[in-house]
Amino acid sequence: MARCGSGAGPCCCCCCCGERESRTPEELTILGETHEEEDEILPRKDYEKAQRYEAVKWVLVFAIGVSTGLVGLFVDFFVRLFTQLKFQVVQSSVEECTEKGCLALSLLELLGFNLTFVFLASLLVLIQPVAAGSGIPEIKCYLNGVKVPGVVRLRTVVCKATGVLFSVAGGLFVGKEGPMIHSGAVVGAGLPQFQSISLRKIQFNFPYFCSDRDKRDFVSAGAAAGVAAAFGAPIGGTLFSLEEGSSFWNQGLTWKVLFCSMAATFTLNFFRSGIQFGSWGSFQLPGLLNFGEFKCSESDKKCHLWTAVDLGFFILMGIVGGLLGATFNCLNKRLAKYRMRNVHPKPKLVRVLESLLVSLTTTVVVFVASMVLGECRQISSSRHSGNDTLSLQDISEDVNSSIKTFFCPNETYNDMATLFFNPQESAILQLFHQDGTFSPVTLSLFFLLYFLLSCWTYGISVPSGLFVPSLLCGAAFGRLVANLLKSYIGLDHIYSGTFALIGAAAFLGGVVRMTISLTVILIESTNEITYGLPIMITLMVAKWTGDFFNKGIYDIHVNLRGVPLLEWETGVEMDKLQASDIMEPNLTYVYPHTRIQSLVSILRTTVHHAFPVVTENRGNEREFMKGNQLISNNIKFKKSSILTRAGEQRKRSQSMKSYPSSELRNMCDEHIATEEPPEKEDILQQMLERRYTPYPNLYPDQSPSEEWTMEERFRPLTFHGLILRSQLVTLLDRGVCYSESQSSASQPRLSHAEMLEDYPHYPDIHDLDLTLLNPRMIVDVTPYMNPSPFTVSPNTHVSQVFNLFRTMGLRHLPVVNAVGEVVGIITRHNLTHEFLQARLRQHYQTI
């Protein structure tokens, strides 16, 4: 983007040579001549600045990792505190009331805890609605290039981190790992800016990273750090950010993201190990979710973690996991649509009541199932064997301490209560490492109840994650398969923990449809590289099976929000389309010198983020009227574009009706009337018949208007560059303009730093006080526009357009023909799968 140097002032153009003074500013820009201030910058100074910039970036990446780890520590500490307090009170009450027959009182105590925690979580979501859910769909959209309002604000991370600990402590079937990804992304977005909307009085003059691309890089690092802190998987976090998030990537970013993930993992590990074990400096707890060590007992010589024969069962489990995941996603999609129609339009209190209803139902189901449906199972004596390794003894002691003996005699435990009356992480460890058996009936009921309640819960107005509920649900499914194979087929050599792990991977893969990153996350969580092959095969089969029916859960929620998310690539059949088939021909543009009243009218009547800077090309128009073949070929498609989209454009024009503010209308004393063209069937024929009729004088008095005829909308326009909405608003806010009686050289010049002072929160055009500005003043936009943006030809294949748009991280792509005329513009909306499919159907209909 071409801007004056930081030293430019109001008179920066007065020192030009005689030849430059003889040219207008737009001619200098079009000819590619630069300001002298840019030529005076020494290469060594640029090199030192780049080195300093890179060093600061590494420091900030480390700070983001440490901060994300501390957020995870905060969430984990208070979740453990509240959960232990709740279960201690309720468990003692249940044991006491078992003899006295007052279990209803125990249920009321449990309801009191859970409803209070869930109510607090819902209140926090009312404060910041975007804090609801896991946040992964929103972060996925942001990294894909779509700005979701409020998704990376300080208030969001406060409500998210505080709300998720109340959601988990409140007994809902949600996890804290998903919101950790959102929290890390918010830290990554806010920390390098050193400012916040919520804390307006705290302002630092930090001159670095004032661009959307830098911000997305830091958000990528923060999201990866969130995964790393949640699962103790720094490599998996890096791959997650690459696979699920960013629309563009580079090698330098890979190193920084991995470094950030490592910092988050070891920061959380350091503090958790010191707080829980008192051994500061040791690293024993790498993540919020720890799967423990999978290892057969040395006394069991027949035991193997897995064999080649087991791969067949793993593939079948992957197919079933894909089917279950597709069913889960289908049900949740229907629930989300129902909420959008019947819950969200109503007062916000209705959302809180829905959350309380889910909490009430979950609590009653958990309590009744634990008291009535559980079976008393014998505690295995093998855990007391002296042949086990130290690590296995530690795991066994941890698992043994979390079993529940409700209504069961000594040396037995209640298997249903053990799964329901424990934190979800402890229940997963029970299914992975419990030597005793769980009843097939108990596992089936637990899976069914957990499946339905977690599906109902995901989407209510509380911060909630989906990773841990899916893992727990899948682990129950895998453990059920292992029990059936042992009991009915006689396969005594299988290791139940392996099947529980594969079941968890199959169900989670069927729900979220992740492959590479999820494989590495599970391998790092288990610390067992030999599980790599079965986990990868299971996840691939689960994804292929689920994709046959619907999309992943995060993609479904992205589509429900109507976000224009770009896929990794387009289909082969899309190459039948060209840029001219998908572009938006109805352009809103500005001239190099435009009056203030025209700019305000454009900004207040449109929502576009960029505008082409053009001049009228009357010479090319006359050549076209004479039948010049080259011009005719390059804008031949305009006729069909006009005819097929005229109705759509009229509707959009009606919906965009708006007028300048009253103060501007009062100050304008001239009104330019436009002549209505005669009604004729062929709009291109109208142009031919009016070849000698001059266009209305629109330079610089009048902006493109909804009242223009189709002929006026599609006049030949020479393209000179792009100007952003934020830049135009900044110029108006700072009063950068000149009067008609003066030269454009008298216009004040803003430096690069001054243009970015309000980043990332630029003022809104509707909030500006423009009463002191004369609407007849003229703004010269040429020093601030981008004179060389990426452009494509109208004949470019859609696959090439898509790859350029995605790999370069673009938001606007002008379509320019062979003679330099802008004929349309492409945004990410024009490249979404749904839009391309619609255009492909139109293409087939016109053949």
Side-chain angles (χ1 to χ4, degrees), residues 91 383 395-404 422 430:
Q91 185 171 348
R383 69 176 69 255
I395 295 174
S396 298
E397 291 175 2
D398 187 25
V399 172
N400 191 32
S401 63
S402 61
I403 62 175
K404 305 301 178 185
N422 271 312
Q430 287 284 344

Side-chain angles (χ1 to χ4, degrees), residues 588-590 594-608 611 653 656-665 668 671 700-708 725 728-729 732 765-766 768 770 775 777 779:
T588 302
Y589 47 83
V590 298
T594 308
R595 295 196 188 277
I596 288 180
Q597 68 183 40
S598 299
L599 288 181
V600 173
S601 176
I602 291 172
L603 294 173
R604 288 186 172 177
T605 57
T606 66
V607 293
H608 306 311
F611 304 93
S653 298
M656 294 300 295
K657 287 286 184 183
S658 182
Y659 300 94
S661 61
S662 58
E663 66 267 21
L664 284 178
R665 282 189 277 115
C668 295
H671 177 71
D701 293 330
Q702 187 177 349
S703 63
S705 168
E706 308 91 24
E707 305 298 333
W708 280 4
R725 166 182 286 268
L728 292 176
V729 173
L732 292 175
I765 184 62
H766 299 281
L768 295 184
L770 302 175
M777 298 285 281
V779 179

Side-chain angles (χ1 to χ4, degrees), residues 789-811:
F790 287 98
T791 60
V792 293
S793 165
N795 301 322
T796 307
H797 289 294
V798 162
S799 60
Q800 294 175 282
V801 175
F802 188 91
N803 291 335
L804 175 64
F805 200 96
R806 183 178 173 89
T807 55
M808 301 310 300
L810 305 180
R811 299 191 68 183

